[in-house]
Amino acid sequence: MLDHVINLLSILSPLLITSYVLKALPFTEIFVWHPTLISLGYLFLMVQGTLLLLRPSHLMSFFVGSSTRKQKISQHWYLQAFALLVLFSGFFSIWYSKVSKGRPHFTSWHSWFGVLALSLSVCQLFLGGYLYFPWIKKFLGITGGRLDLSLKKLHRISGMATFCTAVFSMVLGMWSTFAVNNIPDLVSWLFIGLILVLMLIVNVVGLRIKFSMNSTKANEEVV
């Protein structure tokens, strides 16, 4: 039930904000791609990537079907990598838009928290890659063991923190000049409500993934 609510919220929230951005600006305006791609990357792709670790009863099951635990982890990493590519495209759009108009960069809390969220996302991808790809450990001369267990916990906790940071940046974005001038207050508060509920549920799911994966590991050891 919880994953169905997440699916609904992760589709509605990007569509809501993108529809009002497109009402205010032509599709050819480079700035349009900033809120569109950032919301798509964080609110849809990264959320779906998280659900991949839980169980196949989610939106992405249509594409990946039933998978083993190892396959889920692989799909999770590759989807997060694609999401990061989308996020960098969204970052480039706002950077290029400001450069072309001669406007300064990083002049608001929204922008600074956005950069922080993007930086954390990059760290998460590299940490996840280290944990998943054996050749990285071999290259670094690391055997794993207790270090891997600690890094897995760090990866899970920092992943939830990264998503919270991204959501907070989006909330602050509702007080940007563009949002104040072009998005009705009711819609802004609706969007804020949707993504805050989504953030809360995703963190609950993150805790469920912990117990689900620990349970699976225990079962494998018994067998």
Side-chain angles (χ1 to χ4, degrees):
M1 176 63 182
L2 207 57
D3 50 338
H4 297 305
V5 175
I6 294 178
N7 284 333
L8 182 62
L9 293 174
S10 70
I11 293 172
L12 283 180
S13 45
L15 284 178
L16 177 66
I17 198 65
T18 300
S19 63
Y20 275 89
V21 171
L22 291 175
K23 280 181 65 177
L25 293 172
F27 194 76
T28 52
E29 173 63 46
I30 188 69
F31 174 81
V32 167
W33 295 102
H34 174 62
T36 301
L37 294 176
I38 293 296
S39 60
L40 176 65
Y42 277 121
L43 302 178
F44 182 73
L45 293 174
M46 283 200 169
V47 168
Q48 294 301 321
T50 301
L51 286 180
L52 277 170
L53 293 174
L54 192 58
R55 58 176 182 270
S57 58
H58 51 74
L59 190 63
M60 296 303 292
S61 63
F62 179 79
F63 301 99
V64 301
S66 180
S67 306
T68 64
R69 179 171 174 266
K70 186 175 180 180
Q71 288 172 330
K72 287 179 182 179
I73 295 173
S74 173
Q75 293 160 358
H76 167 76
W77 191 88
Y78 284 109
L79 186 55
Q80 300 297 62
F82 177 65
L84 192 60
L85 180 63
V86 171
L87 291 171
F88 268 106
S89 299
F91 173 79
F92 175 78
S93 67
I94 187 63
W95 176 83
Y96 184 80
S97 177
K98 289 202 171 189
V99 167
S100 63
K101 296 174 182 177
R103 295 177 180 173
H105 299 282
F106 310 121
T107 58
S108 66
W109 285 110
H110 163 65
S111 61
W112 282 110
F113 273 95
V115 169
L116 176 60
L118 191 60
S119 301
L120 290 173
S121 299
V122 172
C123 294
Q124 278 293 98
L125 187 71
F126 279 108
L127 180 55
Y130 163 81
L131 291 169
Y132 176 70
F133 296 105
W135 64 266
I136 297 180
K137 299 176 188 177
K138 186 176 180 180
F139 176 78
L140 295 174
I142 299 174
T143 56
R146 289 189 176 182
L147 176 62
D148 277 11
L149 292 175
S150 299
L151 290 178
K152 284 178 183 178
K153 292 179 181 179
L154 175 64
H155 184 58
R156 184 180 64 252
I157 294 170
S158 58
M160 292 187 285
T162 298
F163 188 71
C164 290
T165 304
V167 168
F168 187 60
S169 176
M170 293 181 201
V171 170
L172 292 174
M174 291 298 98
W175 279 273
S176 66
T177 302
F178 173 82
V180 170
N181 292 335
N182 295 281
I183 300 178
D185 289 346
L186 180 61
V187 175
S188 292
W189 284 110
L190 176 59
F191 177 71
I192 290 172
L194 287 176
I195 61 176
L196 287 178
V197 171
L198 181 61
M199 180 186 73
L200 176 63
I201 299 177
V202 165
N203 279 282
V204 171
V205 167
L207 294 174
R208 289 174 61 188
I209 288 172
K210 170 186 175 182
F211 294 117
S212 174
M213 296 186 79
N214 286 346
S215 175
T216 302
K217 183 178 180 181
N219 289 337
E220 289 174 351
E221 290 175 350
V222 170
V223 174

